[in-house]
């Protein structure tokens, strides 16, 4: 297979003295949807922040198209073609939907292309067109998530980093948004690194998945195969009773290596 | 015309009235409609100055959540810069005006890039002390460079008046009102319709997301300081013929602070509106109430309004939704 578009190698990132991820490695191939699953505090957001340059790693490398980008400023990383849809949407609340989208295209100067892409994202999410002139702060949580994704797409990224898009949304809306994420991936050829707690929806769209626990990758496989694993069923799909820090889990962990 | 030093510093607006209409206490009705209209215009002129200074407070606060207690001293430095170009170097007024604004914009930019950027994210207390300290430094520097004496700035508007029917308005006041209208219009257009202006708003609303968009946030914040210093300079130059220039000219910002609070501290139109209200109220309280009232009018009005509208008149009511 060709060289991965995005390669993360032995990444270690700290919040002050607290280690958040300890030696994470993962590959994202061009055109794929790759997901990272993990419980609260596992370090998913930290991985994305380190890739997009908001945080600097202590150790390890991030290679994008073969060149190291760790410790680069976020605006540089963005210009290389990596857009980040942050956890909690983070829209600009007092700017209109239109202005939010325009900010997504901040690094671009091709007016015609920007107008085309504005149309494109509004076709994916028609609700944004209805709310085009309203401040983003007036949108519902789901609509804000649509806007956050659209805003990231406005940069025409090669890779989109998606941080828990299902957070706080109804199952129906989650389904709707993931269908569109899949369509974007297929139609726009946008590579996607998706971080989720909702293993079911994530694995249904993902080509490949990683499971992260307390800052370490403990399992990796293709999406369909991960869906079949007992541990995944148990801990992330809630098919059996969850025991977040129980002894059972400790025993099971050996089988993951 | 010798005037008491403290009087001039604390109430430049009142001296405008003093020169043109009256000093001391009057009874309502005396002088009639003409006088009321004239007072109103003078109040609006004073309010414009407050509004311009308040704009600077709000711009910086929205972007960096810093309250810049040196805003008035930027105005003072701007006025001295204009005095240097026009009064000392003998450049034409408009050229000196533009050069002063540009110089101060560069000064504001550098100030942020070199000093203030370092305290972003520090406790508010550190920021407050830093900007208060900067104010002291600016005043001392001004005294060292230009001396403690009062300077005057000759302008095309000094010592002339315009007559509108029975109402007589000094051209200085017209220049202040016109200048403020122009600045407000330019700022509105800039923040509303230019990409950089919208990006400045974006960076003010959500710094992290602005980084994610590839907006060079630090550069943007330094530019906001540049704009803020530039607007303060415009205010200083417009004010110069009324208040004259000395190192303590910047204390006028204390009233402008009330204006910014009144407007909500997060709204640019609110800042101008707050300034106008305070300017007008000061004029009328100086005329109709006892001497002491005009000095407390600004904070008292701000307090009353805040009791009713805790967000200020045009403050942003909604917070970010999660
Ligand atoms: N700002 C911070 N300061 C200190 N520690 C932090 C900070 N943010 C996260 N951490 C710690 O780093 C670890 C990883 O956090 P991270 O946000 O990456 O988790 P996550 O997998 O995204 O969790 P969630 O699903 O809740 O979003 C956690 O133990 C967390 O407590
Ligand atoms: Mg997270």
């Amino acid at each position: 297979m060709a060289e991965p578009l995005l390669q993360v190698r032995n990444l270690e990132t700290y919040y002050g003295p607290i280690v958040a991820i300890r030696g994470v490695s993962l590959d994202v191939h061009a055109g794929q949807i790759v997901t990272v699953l993990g419980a609260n505090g596992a370090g998913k957001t930290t991985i994305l922040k380190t890739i997009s340059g908001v945080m600097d790693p202590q150790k390890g490398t991030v290679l994008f198209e073969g060149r190291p980008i760790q410790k680069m400023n976020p605006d540089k990383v963005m210009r290389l073609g990596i857009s980040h849809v942050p956890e909690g949407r983070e829209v600009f609340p007092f700017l209109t939907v239109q202005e939010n989208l325009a900010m997504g295209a901040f690094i671009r100067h091709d007016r015609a292309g920007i107008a085309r892409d504005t149309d494109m994202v509004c076709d994916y999410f028609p609700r944004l067109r209805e709310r085009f002139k309203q401040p983003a702060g007036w949108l519902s949580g789901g609509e804000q998530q649509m806007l956050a994704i659209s805003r990231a797409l406005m940069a025409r990224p090669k890779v989109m980093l998606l941080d828990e898009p299902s957070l706080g949304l109804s199952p129906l809306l989650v389904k709707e948004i993931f269908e569109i994420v899949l369509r974007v991936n297929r139609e726009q050829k946008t590579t996607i690194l998706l971080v989720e707690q909702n293993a079911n929806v994530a694995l249904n769209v993902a080509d490949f998945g990683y499971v992260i626990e307390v800052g370490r990758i403990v399992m990796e496989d293709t999406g369909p195969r991960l869906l079949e694993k007992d541990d995944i069923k148990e801990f992330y799909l809630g098919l059996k009773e969850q025991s977040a820090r129980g002894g059972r889990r400790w025993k099971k962990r050996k089988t993951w290596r | 015309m010798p005037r008491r030093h403290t009087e001039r510093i604390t109430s430049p607006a009142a001296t405008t009235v003093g020169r043109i209409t009256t000093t001391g206490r009057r009874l309502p009705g005396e002088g009639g409609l003409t006088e009321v209209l004239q007072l109103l215009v003078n109040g609006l002129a004073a309010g414009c100055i407050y509004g311009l200074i308040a704009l600077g407070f709000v711009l910086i606060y929205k972007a960096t959540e810093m309250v810049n207690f040196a805003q008035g001293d930027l105005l003072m430095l701007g006025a001295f810069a204009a005095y240097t170009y026009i009064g000392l170097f003998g450049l034409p007024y408009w050229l000196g005006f533009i050069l002063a604004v540009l110089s101060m914009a560069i000064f504001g930019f550098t100030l942020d890039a070199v000093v203030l950027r370092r305290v972003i994210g520090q406790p508010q207390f550190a920021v407050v002390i830093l900007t208060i300290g900067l104010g002291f430094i600016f005043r001392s520097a001004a005294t060292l460079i230009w001396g403690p004496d009062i300077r005057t700035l000759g302008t095309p508007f000094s010592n002339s008046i315009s007559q509108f029917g029975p109402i007589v308005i000094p051209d200085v006041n017209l220049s202040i009102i016109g200048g403020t209208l122009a600045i407000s219009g330019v700022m509105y257009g800039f923040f509303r319709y230019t990409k950089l202006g919208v990006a400045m708003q974006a960076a003010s609303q959500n710094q992290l997301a602005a980084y994610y968009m590839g907006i060079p946030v630090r550069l943007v914040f330094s530019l906001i300081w540049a704009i803020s210093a530039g607007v303060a300079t415009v205010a200083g130059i417009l004010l110069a013929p009324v208040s004259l220039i000395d190192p303590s000219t910047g204390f006028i910002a204390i009233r402008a602070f009330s204006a910014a609070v009144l407007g909500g501290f997060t709204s640019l139109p609110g800042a101008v509106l707050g300034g106008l209200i305070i300017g007008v109220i000061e004029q009328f309280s100086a005329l109709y109430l006892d001497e002491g009232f005009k000095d407390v009018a600004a904070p008292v009005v701000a307090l009353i309004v805040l009791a009713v509208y805790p967000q200020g008149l045009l403050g942003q009511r909604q917070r970010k939704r999660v």
Side-chain angles (χ1 to χ4, degrees):
Chain A
M1 205 189 278
E3 197 195 23
L5 184 59
L6 185 68
Q7 287 172 276
V8 174
R9 289 288 168 269
N10 303 317
L11 213 55
E12 255 185 66
T13 307
Y14 288 72
Y15 289 94
I18 306 161
V19 60
I21 51 175
R22 5 185 146 210
V24 165
S25 299
L26 50 86
D27 286 343
V28 183
H29 287 275
Q32 282 190 334
I33 299 183
V34 173
T35 185
V36 177
L37 303 173
N40 286 109
K44 307 179 298 294
T45 300
T46 310
I47 295 177
L48 295 193
K49 282 185 169 173
T50 313
I51 294 173
S52 65
V54 179
M55 294 183 67
D56 289 341
Q58 220 79 0
K59 288 196 192 126
T61 52
V62 180
L63 298 180
F64 179 62
E65 297 181 314
R67 70 194 269 202
I69 59 162
Q70 74 276 6
K71 301 189 180 178
M72 234 181 222
N73 281 339
D75 54 308
K76 285 253 178 57
V77 174
M78 210 249 180
R79 279 163 214 270
L80 290 179
I82 301 182
S83 283
H84 189 154
V85 183
E87 186 174 4
R89 302 93 159 100
E90 307 281 347
V91 297
F92 301 112
F94 303 111
L95 297 186
T96 63
V97 167
Q98 180 180 26
E99 288 166 334
N100 268 271
L101 293 177
M103 286 299 103
F106 182 83
I107 57 169
R108 295 173 60 182
H109 299 284
D110 53 326
R111 272 168 179 273
I114 293 173
R116 243 192 339 268
D117 287 347
T118 308
D119 264 351
M120 174 193 81
V121 297
C122 287
D123 288 342
Y124 281 125
F125 298 107
R127 268 190 254 186
L128 295 183
R129 187 171 277 132
E130 288 163 28
R131 304 269 189 143
F132 210 51
K133 299 278 182 195
Q134 287 181 17
W138 293 8
L139 303 182
S140 74
E143 289 162 344
Q144 288 190 13
Q145 186 65 61
M146 296 174 187
L147 177 58
I149 295 174
S150 302
R151 187 180 61 176
L153 286 175
M154 288 300 296
R156 282 233 151 255
K158 295 174 188 148
V159 176
M160 180 159 68
L161 310 177
L162 255 177
D163 198 340
E164 290 201 48
S166 73
L167 194 76
L169 306 185
S170 73
L172 199 66
L173 208 57
V174 170
K175 191 164 164 280
E176 190 182 325
I177 286 180
F178 272 77
E179 273 165 13
I180 290 169
V181 167
L182 193 60
R183 272 183 60 202
V184 167
N185 169 253
R186 298 287 135 87
E187 295 168 10
Q188 310 300 323
K189 311 276 177 262
T190 311
T191 307
I192 293 172
L193 178 56
L194 164 71
V195 148
E196 261 300 342
Q197 290 199 44
N198 189 335
N200 195 14
V201 285
L203 290 175
N204 271 319
V205 296
D207 300 293
F208 202 84
Y210 295 85
V211 177
I212 181 175
E213 203 175 87
V214 227
R216 283 204 179 86
I217 304 275
V218 292
M219 200 193 297
E220 58 186 88
D221 215 327
T222 61
R225 285 228 289 275
L226 278 181
L227 260 179
E228 292 309 311
K229 298 226 171 173
D230 285 347
D231 302 316
I232 298 283
K233 281 187 185 155
E234 195 170 325
F235 297 123
Y236 296 103
L237 303 184
L239 296 183
K240 275 194 206 162
E241 198 182 336
Q242 278 195 3
S243 63
R245 294 269 182 266
R248 267 177 54 77
R249 184 174 210 180
W250 183 247
K251 261 183 264 155
K252 285 242 164 187
R253 202 188 232 167
K254 286 206 174 93
T255 68
W256 291 357
R257 298 276 170 144
Chain B
M1 182 173 85
R3 274 172 291 179
R4 275 193 302 123
H5 190 65
T6 50
E7 159 81 6
R8 187 182 53 74
I9 293 161
T10 54
S11 56
T15 50
T16 322
V17 195
R19 200 162 0 146
I20 299 142
T21 56
T22 173
T23 46
R25 195 172 165 191
R26 283 288 195 86
L27 294 171
E30 193 182 333
L33 184 63
T34 312
E35 191 180 67
V36 168
L37 282 177
Q38 225 154 284
L39 265 188
L40 188 67
V41 175
N42 293 336
L44 289 178
C48 281
I49 295 292
Y50 298 152
L52 287 179
I53 304 171
L55 275 181
F57 278 124
V58 170
L59 275 170
I60 289 173
Y61 180 75
K62 273 175 71 143
T64 59
E65 303 201 344
M66 277 188 214
V67 178
N68 175 25
F69 286 101
Q71 191 65 28
D73 302 299
L74 289 177
L75 175 151
M76 176 271 297
L77 288 181
F80 267 118
Y83 164 75
T84 307
Y85 288 126
I86 300 164
L88 295 183
F89 298 170
L91 297 178
Y93 176 78
W94 289 110
L95 182 60
F97 194 118
I98 291 167
L99 283 178
V101 172
L102 282 181
S103 313
M104 285 303 292
I106 293 170
F107 181 72
F109 185 98
T110 317
L111 191 66
D112 179 61
V114 176
V115 183
L116 292 150
R117 186 174 289 177
R118 296 175 201 289
V119 298
I120 286 188
Q122 299 297 315
Q124 267 299 328
F125 181 73
V127 176
V128 168
I129 295 299
L130 177 67
T131 58
I132 289 179
L134 282 175
F136 274 104
I137 294 171
F138 294 163
R139 290 192 292 279
S140 313
T143 312
L144 283 175
I145 298 171
W146 291 285
D149 301 338
I150 294 169
R151 310 286 176 172
T152 54
L153 182 65
T155 73
F157 322 105
S158 304
N159 308 319
S160 59
I161 54 165
S162 294
Q163 187 127 15
F164 300 91
I167 306 172
V168 179
I169 300 169
D171 284 351
V172 170
N173 284 6
L174 289 180
S175 78
I176 291 174
I177 294 173
T180 305
L181 279 177
I183 292 277
S184 305
V186 168
M187 299 266 274
Y188 179 83
F190 174 72
F191 281 108
R192 189 80 198 276
Y193 297 112
T194 70
K195 186 165 155 184
L196 183 60
V198 177
M200 283 183 179
Q201 290 189 62
S204 302
Q205 291 170 26
N206 192 332
Q207 197 178 328
L208 187 62
Y211 272 117
Y212 288 136
M213 300 300 107
I215 296 171
V217 175
R218 291 180 183 172
L219 177 71
V220 160
F221 285 172
S222 295
L223 285 174
I224 288 177
W225 273 86
I227 295 178
S228 200
V231 172
T233 302
V234 172
I237 301 174
L238 293 175
L239 179 66
V242 184
S243 122
L244 312 181
I245 309 168
D246 78 42
S248 53
T249 299
F251 285 126
I252 188 182
I254 294 168
R255 289 137 186 271
F257 189 79
S258 299
V261 171
L262 184 60
F265 227 94
T266 49
S267 158
L268 297 179
V272 176
L273 180 66
L276 293 179
I277 291 175
I278 291 207
V280 169
I281 286 178
E282 271 185 3
Q283 292 293 304
F284 283 94
S285 59
L287 182 65
Y288 295 127
L289 300 174
D290 277 322
E291 180 71 16
F293 279 99
K294 70 171 188 291
D295 288 333
V296 295
V300 165
V301 169
L303 278 177
I304 293 173
V305 171
L306 285 192
V308 184
Y309 300 101
Q311 304 282 344
L313 291 175
L314 300 180
Q316 286 163 339
R317 260 170 210 87
Q318 45 169 2
R319 288 312 314 161
K320 193 174 69 180
R321 238 149 100 170
V322 186

